[in-house]
Amino acid sequence: MTRDETTTELATDICVVGAGPAGLTLALLLLKSGVAVTVVERSRAHQREFRGEILQPVAMALLDQLGVLAGARARGAHEHARFRLVERDRVLLDIDYRGLPAPHNHLLSIPQAHVLDELLLHCEKFEGFRYLEGTRVNGLLREQERIVGVTADGSAGHHTVRAHCVVAADGRFSKVRRLAGIEAGRSDVFDLDVLWFKLTLPEGASGEGPEPVRDVRVFRAEGSPVLVYESWPNRVQVGWTLPHGGYKAVAAEGLEHTKEQLARAVPPYADLIRSQITSPRDLSLLDVFSGRAERWAVDGLVLIGDAAHTHSPIGAQGINLAIQDAVVLHPLLVASLAAGDAGAGFLAAFERGRSADIEAVMRTQRIQSKAMLAHGAVVTWLRPKMAAVLQRTPLFGKVLRSIAYGNPAIRIAEEHFTDRD
């Protein structure tokens, strides 16, 4: 674009591209440390579809420490006490989070927009914060092969944002990663897709009076497994797992065939499925894959969250890993600014510090996928026996803590904060 009167030249310490959980958590941490931050977000007022809604205890604890969790919850959320694997009428696996230390001894289903709105509210309290919503990054500024900012277009015109460092927090299909020439490192180890949809519960269906005990469930029957949980205020989120590329054959049988398969797979919601799914547009097909970018840092740029590593929805780890990434990257960026060094060698410490944790999550997700979703006579026969043995061993508690907390050594570096409110 030719520079004209609509071009705005901006300067900041850190430019974060993407106002998701990773980007806004990082922004708030940096702002509290006296760092000027500009966030560039392509959507307006979170006008995009969010599916990841489950917070594990680790994410709740970190958001609570930042003073964000209470306000986000007040906007609306549901607690889930357990994760259950159900095969026909039998509960094979019952993971009860209430055995963990309070107050974060549960899963939390919370619309992602509630978390983002609260993070944004806290960021806006700082003079060093600038938010460019409805603005798409279309290029990277470079000086002698080093990235020194971004160019972006929005309804307010063309923007040039110069920064000490750019952080790509723009998701698994990261535009910034692509502009930097970094390969995504896609892997199809899960070999599945998820057909995702929402149902609306009748008024009072979740119980009246005291808060009902909810759980996250995976239903297994003769067909493909189905993930189900209630989301705020009165919705049910449903994810039907299918072999990768398998939906084409299912769809060819017609919508009524699809609905009947789903109704058989999740009997408690059969009537809602039959009445509320009226068009293929009510269903969304998600391409499930994992991936790890070939590198997470180049001179002047670092990748974070799904832009750096992408995960399956199994185990509800996406948002939690994104928030932990922000917590780990925060002190490194503060040190980078102090040293005047945003070179790849300096920033690569982030990847080195997170690699073992990310590999552990990917390994666990592969095991979970095989254990819960695999088909075949042998695995179907073994599954209940293995689940029963697991719940009677110390390994069960270790697995739960690993899923709930990840790396317990991750902490917010409050010593870098310049505000003490």
Side-chain angles (χ1 to χ4, degrees):
M1 176 178 174
T2 302
R3 185 173 298 180
D4 58 27
E5 68 276 7
T6 65
T7 299
T8 303
E9 300 277 353
L10 303 172
T12 189
D13 292 329
I14 304 295
C15 176
V16 177
V17 181
L24 286 182
T25 300
L26 178 63
L28 181 56
L29 288 162
L30 292 169
L31 290 163
K32 290 171 78 68
S33 304
V35 176
V37 181
T38 295
V39 175
V40 183
E41 168 56 43
R42 67 178 184 176
S43 69
R44 283 187 172 277
H46 314 312
Q47 292 174 352
R48 51 195 170 101
E49 182 72 15
F50 296 110
R51 295 185 181 86
E53 290 192 347
I54 298 292
L55 295 184
Q56 294 280 358
V58 61
M60 284 184 275
L62 293 172
L63 291 174
D64 209 3
Q65 192 175 349
L66 278 173
V68 169
L69 183 64
R73 287 193 60 148
R75 297 171 187 266
H78 287 329
E79 289 188 9
H80 292 266
R82 298 172 299 234
F83 173 87
R84 288 181 162 185
L85 176 61
V86 182
E87 190 157 50
R88 295 184 173 87
D89 296 326
R90 184 169 47 161
V91 177
L92 300 187
L93 191 63
D94 190 347
I95 300 176
D96 194 339
Y97 275 69
R98 290 170 296 186
L100 297 173
H104 308 118
N105 55 342
H106 53 269
L107 296 164
L108 189 68
S109 170
I110 182 169
Q112 196 172 133
H114 290 188
V115 176
L116 301 182
D117 285 339
E118 192 66 18
L119 282 166
L120 189 58
L121 182 68
H122 282 254
C123 287
E124 288 172 339
K125 297 176 182 178
F126 294 86
E127 290 184 5
F129 180 62
R130 184 183 291 113
Y131 186 51
L132 303 179
E133 66 176 341
T135 304
R136 291 176 177 268
V137 168
N138 53 29
L140 298 176
L141 296 175
R142 298 177 186 268
E143 289 181 358
Q144 300 178 342
E145 302 305 314
R146 177 178 178 272
I147 295 168
V148 294
V150 303
T151 59
D153 287 304
S155 58
H158 183 65
H159 298 274
T160 298
V161 184
R162 299 183 67 85
H164 168 78
C165 181
V166 175
V167 178
D170 53 340
R172 62 178 184 161
F173 300 114
S174 171
K175 176 74 173 290
V176 175
R177 184 184 63 211
R178 189 165 68 251
L179 289 170
I182 301 174
E183 293 295 328
R186 174 179 171 128
S187 173
D188 290 307
V189 294
F190 295 105
D191 197 29
L192 60 90
D193 297 328
V194 176
L195 191 67
W196 202 271
F197 59 95
K198 298 177 183 179
L199 302 170
T200 300
L201 289 168
E203 188 172 347
S206 291
E208 299 290 345
E211 182 76 3
V213 176
R214 297 181 173 88
D215 51 36
V216 178
R217 287 166 287 177
V218 170
F219 287 91
R220 289 194 56 92
E222 69 277 1
S224 296
V226 184
L227 170 69
V228 179
Y229 66 89
E230 287 187 24
S231 65
W232 188 89
N234 61 341
R235 297 290 183 90
V236 179
Q237 300 261 15
V238 185
W240 186 27
T241 63
L242 295 166
H244 188 54
Y247 181 58
K248 184 177 180 180
V250 173
E253 297 287 336
L255 184 62
E256 290 304 314
H257 171 76
T258 301
K259 290 165 61 173
E260 286 308 308
Q261 283 195 298
L262 286 168
R264 288 198 299 270
V266 280
Y269 302 102
D271 290 342
L272 295 180
I273 289 169
R274 292 184 178 113
S275 63
Q276 294 185 15
I277 298 177
T278 61
S279 164
R281 290 190 297 274
D282 295 329
L283 309 171
S284 299
L285 187 64
L286 307 183
D287 179 13
V288 176
F289 61 88
S290 66
R292 177 171 171 163
E294 61 176 348
R295 58 189 184 280
W296 295 4
V298 296
D299 289 344
L301 170 70
V302 62
L303 311 182
I304 186 175
D306 280 352
H309 46 84
T310 302
H311 301 266
S312 158
I314 295 169
Q317 291 296 324
I319 302 177
N320 306 279
L321 291 173
I323 292 171
Q324 290 174 83
D325 273 5
V327 170
V328 173
L329 182 59
H330 157 235
L332 180 65
L333 288 181
V334 173
S336 171
L337 276 164
D341 186 352
F346 195 105
L347 298 175
F350 172 60
E351 182 175 3
R352 291 194 299 271
R354 283 294 276 156
S355 286
D357 296 339
I358 297 307
E359 287 301 321
V361 170
M362 288 185 170
R363 187 165 55 248
T364 299
Q365 286 192 323
R366 287 193 289 269
I367 294 171
Q368 289 175 301
S369 179
K370 290 178 181 178
M372 293 190 295
L373 308 182
H375 296 278
V378 175
V379 72
T380 299
W381 180 78
L382 280 174
R383 186 178 290 109
K385 297 172 176 57
M386 293 173 62
V389 169
L390 174 63
Q391 292 187 103
R392 292 196 296 267
T393 67
L395 180 62
F396 183 72
K398 183 178 179 180
V399 170
L400 172 56
R401 289 189 295 274
S402 175
I403 294 171
Y405 299 121
N407 180 352
I410 292 175
R411 67 172 189 87
I412 293 176
E414 291 186 318
E415 62 271 19
H416 290 297
F417 289 175
T418 57
D419 78 311
R420 300 294 176 184
D421 56 308

PDB file of all heavy atoms in Angstrom, residues 84-112:
ATOM      1  N   ARG A  84     -15.537 -38.180  32.911  1.00  0.00           N
ATOM      2  CA  ARG A  84     -15.979 -39.571  32.882  1.00  0.00           C
ATOM      3  C   ARG A  84     -15.919 -40.158  31.482  1.00  0.00           C
ATOM      4  O   ARG A  84     -16.303 -39.498  30.517  1.00  0.00           O
ATOM      5  CB  ARG A  84     -17.418 -39.687  33.399  1.00  0.00           C
ATOM      6  CG  ARG A  84     -17.558 -39.483  34.895  1.00  0.00           C
ATOM      7  CD  ARG A  84     -19.000 -39.633  35.339  1.00  0.00           C
ATOM      8  NE  ARG A  84     -19.110 -39.869  36.760  1.00  0.00           N
ATOM      9  CZ  ARG A  84     -20.242 -40.128  37.387  1.00  0.00           C
ATOM     10  NH1 ARG A  84     -21.384 -40.167  36.718  1.00  0.00           N
ATOM     11  NH2 ARG A  84     -20.264 -40.337  38.683  1.00  0.00           N
ATOM     12  N   LEU A  85     -15.449 -41.386  31.394  1.00  0.00           N
ATOM     13  CA  LEU A  85     -15.493 -42.166  30.162  1.00  0.00           C
ATOM     14  C   LEU A  85     -16.610 -43.192  30.327  1.00  0.00           C
ATOM     15  O   LEU A  85     -16.564 -44.040  31.228  1.00  0.00           O
ATOM     16  CB  LEU A  85     -14.161 -42.872  29.915  1.00  0.00           C
ATOM     17  CG  LEU A  85     -14.096 -43.809  28.704  1.00  0.00           C
ATOM     18  CD1 LEU A  85     -14.355 -43.063  27.397  1.00  0.00           C
ATOM     19  CD2 LEU A  85     -12.742 -44.525  28.651  1.00  0.00           C
ATOM     20  N   VAL A  86     -17.645 -43.065  29.488  1.00  0.00           N
ATOM     21  CA  VAL A  86     -18.851 -43.882  29.617  1.00  0.00           C
ATOM     22  C   VAL A  86     -18.990 -44.786  28.390  1.00  0.00           C
ATOM     23  O   VAL A  86     -18.970 -44.311  27.245  1.00  0.00           O
ATOM     24  CB  VAL A  86     -20.109 -42.997  29.738  1.00  0.00           C
ATOM     25  CG1 VAL A  86     -21.357 -43.854  29.911  1.00  0.00           C
ATOM     26  CG2 VAL A  86     -19.959 -42.015  30.897  1.00  0.00           C
ATOM     27  N   GLU A  87     -19.114 -46.082  28.632  1.00  0.00           N
ATOM     28  CA  GLU A  87     -19.330 -47.026  27.526  1.00  0.00           C
ATOM     29  C   GLU A  87     -20.686 -47.681  27.730  1.00  0.00           C
ATOM     30  O   GLU A  87     -20.877 -48.447  28.669  1.00  0.00           O
ATOM     31  CB  GLU A  87     -18.225 -48.079  27.475  1.00  0.00           C
ATOM     32  CG  GLU A  87     -18.279 -48.922  26.208  1.00  0.00           C
ATOM     33  CD  GLU A  87     -16.930 -49.540  25.895  1.00  0.00           C
ATOM     34  OE1 GLU A  87     -16.332 -50.139  26.804  1.00  0.00           O
ATOM     35  OE2 GLU A  87     -16.466 -49.425  24.746  1.00  0.00           O
ATOM     36  N   ARG A  88     -21.602 -47.316  26.842  1.00  0.00           N
ATOM     37  CA  ARG A  88     -23.007 -47.716  26.991  1.00  0.00           C
ATOM     38  C   ARG A  88     -23.493 -47.270  28.375  1.00  0.00           C
ATOM     39  O   ARG A  88     -23.504 -46.085  28.650  1.00  0.00           O
ATOM     40  CB  ARG A  88     -23.170 -49.209  26.742  1.00  0.00           C
ATOM     41  CG  ARG A  88     -22.835 -49.587  25.286  1.00  0.00           C
ATOM     42  CD  ARG A  88     -23.076 -51.051  25.006  1.00  0.00           C
ATOM     43  NE  ARG A  88     -22.914 -51.330  23.587  1.00  0.00           N
ATOM     44  CZ  ARG A  88     -21.739 -51.615  23.018  1.00  0.00           C
ATOM     45  NH1 ARG A  88     -20.645 -51.685  23.774  1.00  0.00           N
ATOM     46  NH2 ARG A  88     -21.652 -51.836  21.725  1.00  0.00           N
ATOM     47  N   ASP A  89     -23.884 -48.174  29.253  1.00  0.00           N
ATOM     48  CA  ASP A  89     -24.400 -47.761  30.559  1.00  0.00           C
ATOM     49  C   ASP A  89     -23.353 -47.863  31.664  1.00  0.00           C
ATOM     50  O   ASP A  89     -23.672 -47.714  32.848  1.00  0.00           O
ATOM     51  CB  ASP A  89     -25.610 -48.631  30.944  1.00  0.00           C
ATOM     52  CG  ASP A  89     -26.770 -48.437  29.993  1.00  0.00           C
ATOM     53  OD1 ASP A  89     -26.931 -47.302  29.498  1.00  0.00           O
ATOM     54  OD2 ASP A  89     -27.509 -49.405  29.741  1.00  0.00           O
ATOM     55  N   ARG A  90     -22.117 -48.091  31.295  1.00  0.00           N
ATOM     56  CA  ARG A  90     -21.081 -48.340  32.291  1.00  0.00           C
ATOM     57  C   ARG A  90     -20.049 -47.219  32.299  1.00  0.00           C
ATOM     58  O   ARG A  90     -19.545 -46.812  31.254  1.00  0.00           O
ATOM     59  CB  ARG A  90     -20.404 -49.681  31.972  1.00  0.00           C
ATOM     60  CG  ARG A  90     -19.364 -50.123  32.969  1.00  0.00           C
ATOM     61  CD  ARG A  90     -18.944 -51.559  32.735  1.00  0.00           C
ATOM     62  NE  ARG A  90     -18.656 -51.822  31.323  1.00  0.00           N
ATOM     63  CZ  ARG A  90     -17.945 -52.861  30.891  1.00  0.00           C
ATOM     64  NH1 ARG A  90     -17.492 -53.740  31.757  1.00  0.00           N
ATOM     65  NH2 ARG A  90     -17.725 -53.038  29.608  1.00  0.00           N
ATOM     66  N   VAL A  91     -19.732 -46.696  33.499  1.00  0.00           N
ATOM     67  CA  VAL A  91     -18.678 -45.699  33.646  1.00  0.00           C
ATOM     68  C   VAL A  91     -17.348 -46.437  33.781  1.00  0.00           C
ATOM     69  O   VAL A  91     -17.093 -47.109  34.780  1.00  0.00           O
ATOM     70  CB  VAL A  91     -18.923 -44.803  34.876  1.00  0.00           C
ATOM     71  CG1 VAL A  91     -17.759 -43.817  35.056  1.00  0.00           C
ATOM     72  CG2 VAL A  91     -20.230 -44.047  34.742  1.00  0.00           C
ATOM     73  N   LEU A  92     -16.497 -46.308  32.754  1.00  0.00           N
ATOM     74  CA  LEU A  92     -15.212 -47.001  32.765  1.00  0.00           C
ATOM     75  C   LEU A  92     -14.164 -46.226  33.555  1.00  0.00           C
ATOM     76  O   LEU A  92     -13.301 -46.814  34.204  1.00  0.00           O
ATOM     77  CB  LEU A  92     -14.704 -47.207  31.340  1.00  0.00           C
ATOM     78  CG  LEU A  92     -15.586 -48.029  30.390  1.00  0.00           C
ATOM     79  CD1 LEU A  92     -14.843 -48.273  29.081  1.00  0.00           C
ATOM     80  CD2 LEU A  92     -15.991 -49.346  31.021  1.00  0.00           C
ATOM     81  N   LEU A  93     -14.220 -44.918  33.452  1.00  0.00           N
ATOM     82  CA  LEU A  93     -13.208 -44.091  34.089  1.00  0.00           C
ATOM     83  C   LEU A  93     -13.895 -42.889  34.728  1.00  0.00           C
ATOM     84  O   LEU A  93     -14.683 -42.206  34.076  1.00  0.00           O
ATOM     85  CB  LEU A  93     -12.187 -43.624  33.041  1.00  0.00           C
ATOM     86  CG  LEU A  93     -10.899 -42.967  33.560  1.00  0.00           C
ATOM     87  CD1 LEU A  93     -10.095 -43.957  34.396  1.00  0.00           C
ATOM     88  CD2 LEU A  93     -10.059 -42.474  32.386  1.00  0.00           C
ATOM     89  N   ASP A  94     -13.594 -42.646  35.989  1.00  0.00           N
ATOM     90  CA  ASP A  94     -14.205 -41.536  36.725  1.00  0.00           C
ATOM     91  C   ASP A  94     -13.093 -40.743  37.395  1.00  0.00           C
ATOM     92  O   ASP A  94     -12.553 -41.154  38.419  1.00  0.00           O
ATOM     93  CB  ASP A  94     -15.184 -42.079  37.765  1.00  0.00           C
ATOM     94  CG  ASP A  94     -16.031 -40.973  38.388  1.00  0.00           C
ATOM     95  OD1 ASP A  94     -15.695 -39.794  38.202  1.00  0.00           O
ATOM     96  OD2 ASP A  94     -17.024 -41.299  39.055  1.00  0.00           O
ATOM     97  N   ILE A  95     -12.730 -39.627  36.795  1.00  0.00           N
ATOM     98  CA  ILE A  95     -11.667 -38.780  37.328  1.00  0.00           C
ATOM     99  C   ILE A  95     -12.320 -37.636  38.087  1.00  0.00           C
ATOM    100  O   ILE A  95     -12.931 -36.751  37.491  1.00  0.00           O
ATOM    101  CB  ILE A  95     -10.772 -38.243  36.200  1.00  0.00           C
ATOM    102  CG1 ILE A  95     -10.133 -39.410  35.434  1.00  0.00           C
ATOM    103  CG2 ILE A  95      -9.702 -37.321  36.755  1.00  0.00           C
ATOM    104  CD1 ILE A  95      -9.299 -38.968  34.231  1.00  0.00           C
ATOM    105  N   ASP A  96     -12.192 -37.651  39.402  1.00  0.00           N
ATOM    106  CA  ASP A  96     -12.857 -36.673  40.264  1.00  0.00           C
ATOM    107  C   ASP A  96     -11.863 -35.585  40.668  1.00  0.00           C
ATOM    108  O   ASP A  96     -10.943 -35.824  41.450  1.00  0.00           O
ATOM    109  CB  ASP A  96     -13.422 -37.367  41.498  1.00  0.00           C
ATOM    110  CG  ASP A  96     -14.408 -36.486  42.252  1.00  0.00           C
ATOM    111  OD1 ASP A  96     -14.352 -35.253  42.072  1.00  0.00           O
ATOM    112  OD2 ASP A  96     -15.229 -37.035  43.005  1.00  0.00           O
ATOM    113  N   TYR A  97     -12.068 -34.397  40.143  1.00  0.00           N
ATOM    114  CA  TYR A  97     -11.171 -33.279  40.427  1.00  0.00           C
ATOM    115  C   TYR A  97     -11.327 -32.748  41.849  1.00  0.00           C
ATOM    116  O   TYR A  97     -10.474 -31.993  42.313  1.00  0.00           O
ATOM    117  CB  TYR A  97     -11.428 -32.147  39.431  1.00  0.00           C
ATOM    118  CG  TYR A  97     -10.684 -32.302  38.124  1.00  0.00           C
ATOM    119  CD1 TYR A  97     -11.013 -33.312  37.225  1.00  0.00           C
ATOM    120  CD2 TYR A  97      -9.657 -31.436  37.775  1.00  0.00           C
ATOM    121  CE1 TYR A  97     -10.333 -33.454  36.028  1.00  0.00           C
ATOM    122  CE2 TYR A  97      -8.973 -31.557  36.574  1.00  0.00           C
ATOM    123  CZ  TYR A  97      -9.307 -32.579  35.709  1.00  0.00           C
ATOM    124  OH  TYR A  97      -8.633 -32.719  34.520  1.00  0.00           O
ATOM    125  N   ARG A  98     -12.402 -33.142  42.524  1.00  0.00           N
ATOM    126  CA  ARG A  98     -12.627 -32.622  43.866  1.00  0.00           C
ATOM    127  C   ARG A  98     -11.618 -33.146  44.875  1.00  0.00           C
ATOM    128  O   ARG A  98     -11.539 -32.641  45.996  1.00  0.00           O
ATOM    129  CB  ARG A  98     -14.056 -32.929  44.309  1.00  0.00           C
ATOM    130  CG  ARG A  98     -15.095 -32.125  43.544  1.00  0.00           C
ATOM    131  CD  ARG A  98     -16.501 -32.581  43.805  1.00  0.00           C
ATOM    132  NE  ARG A  98     -16.728 -33.949  43.345  1.00  0.00           N
ATOM    133  CZ  ARG A  98     -17.906 -34.560  43.340  1.00  0.00           C
ATOM    134  NH1 ARG A  98     -18.975 -33.900  43.773  1.00  0.00           N
ATOM    135  NH2 ARG A  98     -18.031 -35.794  42.907  1.00  0.00           N
ATOM    136  N   GLY A  99     -10.821 -34.155  44.466  1.00  0.00           N
ATOM    137  CA  GLY A  99      -9.755 -34.645  45.335  1.00  0.00           C
ATOM    138  C   GLY A  99      -8.514 -33.771  45.311  1.00  0.00           C
ATOM    139  O   GLY A  99      -7.591 -33.972  46.105  1.00  0.00           O
ATOM    140  N   LEU A 100      -8.478 -32.782  44.399  1.00  0.00           N
ATOM    141  CA  LEU A 100      -7.350 -31.853  44.316  1.00  0.00           C
ATOM    142  C   LEU A 100      -7.532 -30.723  45.333  1.00  0.00           C
ATOM    143  O   LEU A 100      -8.635 -30.487  45.818  1.00  0.00           O
ATOM    144  CB  LEU A 100      -7.254 -31.279  42.895  1.00  0.00           C
ATOM    145  CG  LEU A 100      -6.972 -32.284  41.780  1.00  0.00           C
ATOM    146  CD1 LEU A 100      -7.081 -31.600  40.417  1.00  0.00           C
ATOM    147  CD2 LEU A 100      -5.601 -32.924  41.951  1.00  0.00           C
ATOM    148  N   PRO A 101      -6.465 -29.993  45.638  1.00  0.00           N
ATOM    149  CA  PRO A 101      -6.570 -28.896  46.615  1.00  0.00           C
ATOM    150  C   PRO A 101      -7.509 -27.795  46.132  1.00  0.00           C
ATOM    151  O   PRO A 101      -7.489 -27.410  44.960  1.00  0.00           O
ATOM    152  CB  PRO A 101      -5.127 -28.376  46.721  1.00  0.00           C
ATOM    153  CG  PRO A 101      -4.263 -29.498  46.237  1.00  0.00           C
ATOM    154  CD  PRO A 101      -5.062 -30.209  45.204  1.00  0.00           C
ATOM    155  N   ALA A 102      -8.345 -27.282  47.035  1.00  0.00           N
ATOM    156  CA  ALA A 102      -9.208 -26.139  46.742  1.00  0.00           C
ATOM    157  C   ALA A 102      -8.320 -24.885  46.661  1.00  0.00           C
ATOM    158  O   ALA A 102      -7.219 -24.871  47.206  1.00  0.00           O
ATOM    159  CB  ALA A 102     -10.261 -26.003  47.833  1.00  0.00           C
ATOM    160  N   PRO A 103      -8.764 -23.832  46.004  1.00  0.00           N
ATOM    161  CA  PRO A 103     -10.120 -23.619  45.473  1.00  0.00           C
ATOM    162  C   PRO A 103     -10.309 -24.043  44.024  1.00  0.00           C
ATOM    163  O   PRO A 103     -11.416 -23.993  43.514  1.00  0.00           O
ATOM    164  CB  PRO A 103     -10.280 -22.100  45.601  1.00  0.00           C
ATOM    165  CG  PRO A 103      -8.900 -21.582  45.333  1.00  0.00           C
ATOM    166  CD  PRO A 103      -7.965 -22.574  45.967  1.00  0.00           C
ATOM    167  N   HIS A 104      -9.243 -24.485  43.364  1.00  0.00           N
ATOM    168  CA  HIS A 104      -9.349 -24.795  41.936  1.00  0.00           C
ATOM    169  C   HIS A 104      -9.414 -26.307  41.729  1.00  0.00           C
ATOM    170  O   HIS A 104      -8.688 -26.877  40.896  1.00  0.00           O
ATOM    171  CB  HIS A 104      -8.162 -24.174  41.177  1.00  0.00           C
ATOM    172  CG  HIS A 104      -7.986 -22.715  41.461  1.00  0.00           C
ATOM    173  ND1 HIS A 104      -6.846 -22.201  42.049  1.00  0.00           N
ATOM    174  CD2 HIS A 104      -8.822 -21.671  41.283  1.00  0.00           C
ATOM    175  CE1 HIS A 104      -6.983 -20.890  42.199  1.00  0.00           C
ATOM    176  NE2 HIS A 104      -8.179 -20.542  41.749  1.00  0.00           N
ATOM    177  N   ASN A 105     -10.293 -26.939  42.461  1.00  0.00           N
ATOM    178  CA  ASN A 105     -10.418 -28.400  42.403  1.00  0.00           C
ATOM    179  C   ASN A 105     -11.609 -28.813  41.532  1.00  0.00           C
ATOM    180  O   ASN A 105     -12.517 -29.517  41.980  1.00  0.00           O
ATOM    181  CB  ASN A 105     -10.537 -28.982  43.811  1.00  0.00           C
ATOM    182  CG  ASN A 105     -11.679 -28.368  44.599  1.00  0.00           C
ATOM    183  OD1 ASN A 105     -12.186 -27.300  44.252  1.00  0.00           O
ATOM    184  ND2 ASN A 105     -12.092 -29.049  45.659  1.00  0.00           N
ATOM    185  N   HIS A 106     -11.584 -28.352  40.289  1.00  0.00           N
ATOM    186  CA  HIS A 106     -12.643 -28.662  39.339  1.00  0.00           C
ATOM    187  C   HIS A 106     -12.165 -28.231  37.960  1.00  0.00           C
ATOM    188  O   HIS A 106     -11.100 -27.617  37.811  1.00  0.00           O
ATOM    189  CB  HIS A 106     -13.937 -27.912  39.689  1.00  0.00           C
ATOM    190  CG  HIS A 106     -13.735 -26.437  39.857  1.00  0.00           C
ATOM    191  ND1 HIS A 106     -13.433 -25.861  41.078  1.00  0.00           N
ATOM    192  CD2 HIS A 106     -13.751 -25.404  38.970  1.00  0.00           C
ATOM    193  CE1 HIS A 106     -13.285 -24.561  40.938  1.00  0.00           C
ATOM    194  NE2 HIS A 106     -13.464 -24.253  39.659  1.00  0.00           N
ATOM    195  N   LEU A 107     -12.925 -28.589  36.960  1.00  0.00           N
ATOM    196  CA  LEU A 107     -12.767 -28.018  35.629  1.00  0.00           C
ATOM    197  C   LEU A 107     -13.726 -26.841  35.523  1.00  0.00           C
ATOM    198  O   LEU A 107     -14.766 -26.832  36.177  1.00  0.00           O
ATOM    199  CB  LEU A 107     -13.086 -29.058  34.551  1.00  0.00           C
ATOM    200  CG  LEU A 107     -12.170 -30.283  34.483  1.00  0.00           C
ATOM    201  CD1 LEU A 107     -12.824 -31.396  33.670  1.00  0.00           C
ATOM    202  CD2 LEU A 107     -10.827 -29.919  33.888  1.00  0.00           C
ATOM    203  N   LEU A 108     -13.399 -25.875  34.690  1.00  0.00           N
ATOM    204  CA  LEU A 108     -14.275 -24.719  34.539  1.00  0.00           C
ATOM    205  C   LEU A 108     -14.615 -24.532  33.070  1.00  0.00           C
ATOM    206  O   LEU A 108     -13.737 -24.308  32.237  1.00  0.00           O
ATOM    207  CB  LEU A 108     -13.613 -23.450  35.070  1.00  0.00           C
ATOM    208  CG  LEU A 108     -14.525 -22.222  35.157  1.00  0.00           C
ATOM    209  CD1 LEU A 108     -15.591 -22.431  36.238  1.00  0.00           C
ATOM    210  CD2 LEU A 108     -13.716 -20.963  35.443  1.00  0.00           C
ATOM    211  N   SER A 109     -15.903 -24.674  32.769  1.00  0.00           N
ATOM    212  CA  SER A 109     -16.398 -24.369  31.429  1.00  0.00           C
ATOM    213  C   SER A 109     -16.797 -22.901  31.418  1.00  0.00           C
ATOM    214  O   SER A 109     -17.746 -22.498  32.092  1.00  0.00           O
ATOM    215  CB  SER A 109     -17.608 -25.250  31.089  1.00  0.00           C
ATOM    216  OG  SER A 109     -18.225 -24.796  29.904  1.00  0.00           O
ATOM    217  N   ILE A 110     -16.046 -22.096  30.655  1.00  0.00           N
ATOM    218  CA  ILE A 110     -16.285 -20.653  30.630  1.00  0.00           C
ATOM    219  C   ILE A 110     -16.109 -20.158  29.203  1.00  0.00           C
ATOM    220  O   ILE A 110     -15.122 -20.493  28.554  1.00  0.00           O
ATOM    221  CB  ILE A 110     -15.322 -19.930  31.608  1.00  0.00           C
ATOM    222  CG1 ILE A 110     -15.597 -18.425  31.625  1.00  0.00           C
ATOM    223  CG2 ILE A 110     -13.863 -20.229  31.287  1.00  0.00           C
ATOM    224  CD1 ILE A 110     -14.879 -17.695  32.765  1.00  0.00           C
ATOM    225  N   PRO A 111     -17.073 -19.407  28.685  1.00  0.00           N
ATOM    226  CA  PRO A 111     -16.902 -18.888  27.329  1.00  0.00           C
ATOM    227  C   PRO A 111     -15.576 -18.135  27.220  1.00  0.00           C
ATOM    228  O   PRO A 111     -15.250 -17.294  28.061  1.00  0.00           O
ATOM    229  CB  PRO A 111     -18.100 -17.938  27.167  1.00  0.00           C
ATOM    230  CG  PRO A 111     -19.150 -18.511  28.072  1.00  0.00           C
ATOM    231  CD  PRO A 111     -18.380 -19.023  29.261  1.00  0.00           C
ATOM    232  N   GLN A 112     -14.812 -18.446  26.182  1.00  0.00           N
ATOM    233  CA  GLN A 112     -13.503 -17.836  26.035  1.00  0.00           C
ATOM    234  C   GLN A 112     -13.607 -16.314  25.969  1.00  0.00           C
ATOM    235  O   GLN A 112     -12.722 -15.593  26.455  1.00  0.00           O
ATOM    236  CB  GLN A 112     -12.808 -18.377  24.781  1.00  0.00           C
ATOM    237  CG  GLN A 112     -11.333 -18.098  24.770  1.00  0.00           C
ATOM    238  CD  GLN A 112     -10.605 -18.788  23.636  1.00  0.00           C
ATOM    239  OE1 GLN A 112      -9.804 -18.167  22.946  1.00  0.00           O
ATOM    240  NE2 GLN A 112     -10.880 -20.061  23.429  1.00  0.00           N
TER     241      GLN A 112
END
